Every structure is written in C-alpha cells, then in structure tokens.
Amino acid sequence: MKTITRLSFGLSLALLASCATPEREETRLELTPVTYAMLDGWSAETPESLLPELRTECQRITRLPPETHLGGAQGTIPNGSLAGDWSGACTALQSVGSEPGEARRYFETWFAPYLVASDGLITGYYEPQIYASAQKGGEFQTPLYGQPADLVRTKDTAGDWVTGRWENDKFVPYYSRAEIDRGALEGRGLEIAWLRSPEDLFFLQIQGAGRLVMTDGSVRRVGFAAKNGEPYVPIGRVLVSQGEMAAQDVSLTTLRAWLAAHPDRAQSVMEQNPNYVFFRRIDTVPLDRGAPGSMGIPLTPGRSVAVDRNVLPLGVPLWIDTHLPQANGAEGHWMHLVFAQDVGSDIKGVGRADLFTGWGAEAEALAGKLRSHGRMVVLLPHPPA
C-alpha cells in the first residue's frame, strides 16, 4: 500500500541509544499466549474510546487486496499479517454499539493477546512546532527544502533500492548534508519556508514531520517527502566519541544546549550526519490531529506507536505496561492500549515501541525524557469464520 510516510526516528534511539551501550535488537519473535485477566490495568481501560481509531484502521485495511502484507515476522504471527486476516474483526466492529461493556467484549472476542516482551523498550517522538517565514529575511535564513526533481530512487543491478541522481549519464549518490549546506540546491525554488536556525531544521528532520508557526500567526504542517539516501549518524554518538559528553547525559536538551554553546562547531557536528530529509506541505489533516503515520492515518497522542514492521504488523493493538516521566520529575505507572500505526528508522527489534506524544512543549519534553522498560502484549485479530 502507498502510505503517507514519515520518518519517526524516536528521539531516544536517534539521539541516545545509538551512542550509549547498544540495546539488544532481537529480531526473533516468540509469542506467548496470555489472557486479558493477566493484563494489569485492562479493567480500567476505556475500550469504547478506541473504537473510532480502530474503525479508521479497518477502513484503510479492508480496502487493500486481501494478500497485502502488513508486516510481521514470517511464520511467527498466527494471524493479522495479511489484510484479509482482518475481515472478521473489521466486519464485527460495524455492529459494536455504545452500550456499557460492549467495546470491551468486542476486543476480548475478536483479538487474542500474546506476550511480545516482558522487558520491552518504550521511547517517544513528537511533532515539533517551529517558527518559520514564507520569505527569507532577518533571522529566517535557513531553507526548508521540498523534494528536488533530480532525486531518484531506483534499483541497482543487484535489485537493491538506491537513491541518487544522474550526472553525465552516470548514477551518483545524492548531495550530502554538507554539500546541501554549502548551496548545492540554491536557486531551484525548492524552499517551502525559511527557518531561524540550522538546528531547528536538524531536529525537524530527525522527527520527520512538524508544524511551522508562520510570522503571520498561521500554522502549516509539513511532513516527510524523501531523503537523500545517505546513512543516518546520530550526533549524540559523535559527541560522545569526541569526549564532549557522557553517553548517559545525551538527550534532546543537552544536544541543543551543546550546539548553542558551540556555534563555531555546531554545523560541522551536524554534518557528521550526512542524511538529509526533504519535506512537503500537508494540508489535508486537521491541526487537532497528529501528522499521518505509515498507515496514512493521523497519529493520536498517547495512542499511536511506531514499531519494527519486520517484527509486528501495522495496525495491531498493543497493550503497553510501563512508566512515563512526570512533570515533577517522578515516574508514573502507565498502562494503555495503543495502535501500531507508524515505523521508525531506528525502531528495531522485538519489544520496541516509540510512543507518539503529540505536539508542543509538553510533548517535546516527554518525548525527550521517555526511555522506559515495560511489558508489551500484542492483540492479534482472530481469523474470519
């Protein structure tokens, strides 16, 4: 299926884990059947509030050819990897009403819970809000580029996907971050907007989508359009390797602070990450919803997660039992049903989930701090009769 793709690099992995002791990236999925009675907090959940989310998913999935693969490790997902596997659950959903307990009975009837990980890793990502101008001028000197026409993604002679451009009848790698910073794309009219700093652009590219607060007070949403094909290198790992900070101290806040305190070195450090993301305007999704995830469905704060599609299918509900940072610095027990609606370049392995925290300052703070271990259970749809 063709989805509105965004790069949900979770902050914790994009900035932290890659420079600290590597987390295990188990790719072998072993599912253990459990019961709803074994899900701590399930009785306090509000399944009726999640029916609109699931109905939106079903509308998307049931329009796909039945053989469409939604993801999941081959041979380890008993049901739910193919679009056709959802026909029973999605058909039954149409008759679920608003009577007390009806939604809970629906989930318990049509979805089988399986333990994915007793000690999964939960991180967070968000939708940045960045000040921007439609015109270059004053403090707005950093271009936000749309996708260049000469950026090509094709298959090489080995059948692998590669990204680059044609130059004198030769296919070459596309311009790196450093080359673009030095003006490789100037004069092409690719500017969607102008930002206040290269750092704003850099962190917007890490998230892959965001909101531009324009000088006239309007808000525009931009999302991932393409990338230049270069590998993603976390600058946290770069700074740790240079002895600038300890691995355990790396966070969005400390990285921003370091870049601000070292303006003479900031650009060269950011250019250690040659990966460059291009954007496009997204005007079809209301601003009271999140940007579209990899299913093409607007993300919901606290209910949408990014997963490794090689491990779990897109669309499946997940029960997450973990702890989330609180405003007072403590941690609160958090047990909720979420939906696998997105993927992330750095969200890899069994038991990995990246929670979409929303937009604004609070969402940014939570995403930057969130790095918790917890229990993860997947709810797989029963096959149709």
Side-chain angles (χ1 to χ4, degrees):
M1 59 181 169
K2 177 61 177 175
T3 61
I4 305 175
T5 306
R6 56 178 272 145
L7 284 185
S8 52
F9 292 108
L11 272 183
S12 297
L13 273 233
L15 304 179
L16 286 84
S18 297
C19 62
T21 302
E23 297 284 342
R24 64 182 184 275
E25 291 186 0
E26 301 283 353
T27 56
R28 182 181 176 185
L29 178 63
E30 295 182 359
L31 296 177
T32 303
V34 296
T35 66
Y36 283 93
M38 298 169 66
L39 305 184
D40 291 340
W42 172 247
S43 61
E45 182 58 287
T46 56
E48 62 276 5
S49 68
L50 303 176
L51 295 183
E53 197 88 17
L54 188 56
R55 286 192 171 104
T56 301
E57 285 195 357
C58 279
Q59 289 172 4
R60 179 79 54 172
I61 293 172
T62 55
R63 288 200 298 263
L64 300 171
E67 66 277 8
T68 302
H69 188 244
L70 302 176
Q74 291 288 344
T76 60
I77 302 293
N79 201 61
S81 285
L82 301 179
D85 295 341
W86 287 73
S87 62
C90 288
T91 299
L93 180 61
Q94 297 173 15
S95 60
V96 177
S98 57
E99 292 297 319
E102 200 168 347
R104 188 180 305 278
R105 287 193 297 272
Y106 164 76
F107 275 101
E108 294 177 354
T109 300
W110 280 100
F111 288 88
Y114 294 86
L115 178 66
V116 174
S118 297
D119 188 30
L121 177 61
I122 316 301
T123 53
Y125 69 108
Y126 72 108
E127 192 175 354
Q129 291 190 150
I130 296 174
Y131 289 104
S133 172
Q135 306 295 329
K136 181 179 182 181
E139 62 181 337
F140 299 98
Q141 298 291 324
T142 301
L144 178 69
Y145 285 130
Q147 181 175 348
D150 63 342
L151 179 66
V152 177
R153 189 168 185 260
T154 187
K155 287 188 176 181
D156 60 16
T157 54
D160 298 321
W161 286 102
V162 292
T163 303
R165 60 188 177 89
W166 291 100
E167 184 179 85
N168 298 325
D169 296 327
K170 182 180 180 182
F171 194 73
V172 298
Y174 205 74
Y175 301 114
S176 67
R177 177 178 297 276
E179 291 172 316
I180 295 173
D181 286 348
R182 286 159 178 71
L185 300 180
E186 285 183 3
R188 296 194 187 184
L190 297 173
E191 298 85 358
I192 295 176
W194 296 85
L195 309 183
R196 294 192 298 185
S197 72
E199 290 79 11
D200 280 350
L201 172 64
F202 187 83
F203 289 105
L204 176 62
Q205 290 176 320
I206 288 177
Q207 295 303 310
R211 298 159 185 248
L212 305 182
V213 181
M214 308 303 291
T215 52
D216 63 1
S218 64
V219 179
R220 301 176 181 177
R221 170 175 273 140
V222 293
F224 172 85
K227 54 184 177 179
N228 65 346
E230 293 291 333
Y232 177 80
V233 177
I235 64 168
R237 186 171 65 194
V238 172
L239 292 175
V240 170
S241 69
Q242 294 179 356
E244 294 294 330
M245 63 177 64
Q248 64 269 22
D249 295 332
V250 176
S251 69
L252 173 64
T253 301
T254 58
L255 288 177
R256 279 191 176 276
W258 190 95
L259 294 173
H262 301 82
D264 56 327
R265 297 172 57 193
Q267 181 170 330
S268 64
V269 167
M270 289 187 289
E271 288 175 354
Q272 293 297 305
N273 173 25
N275 182 276
Y276 199 94
V277 175
F278 300 100
F279 291 86
R280 62 190 180 87
R281 287 279 301 273
I282 301 178
D283 299 319
T284 57
V285 179
L287 291 173
D288 62 352
R289 300 294 307 275
S294 295
M295 289 188 72
I297 296 172
L299 302 174
T300 302
R303 294 295 189 179
S304 299
V305 295
V307 298
D308 185 347
R309 194 181 175 190
N310 292 320
V311 175
L312 293 172
L314 286 174
V316 292
L318 295 165
W319 181 256
I320 303 251
D321 184 344
T322 187
H323 289 80
L324 261 59
Q326 306 295 304
N328 60 6
E331 286 195 339
H333 202 176
W334 194 88
M335 300 171 288
H336 283 291
L337 194 65
V338 299
F339 293 91
Q341 297 177 333
D342 209 356
V343 298
S345 295
D346 288 297
I347 308 305
K348 302 296 182 186
V350 173
R352 281 292 292 116
D354 207 27
L355 178 68
F356 178 64
T357 61
W359 50 90
E362 291 184 7
E364 179 179 348
L366 175 57
K369 295 176 183 176
L370 178 53
R371 183 178 178 79
S372 301
H373 289 262
R375 193 165 183 249
M376 180 186 297
V377 173
V378 62
L379 275 56
L380 297 179
H382 285 298

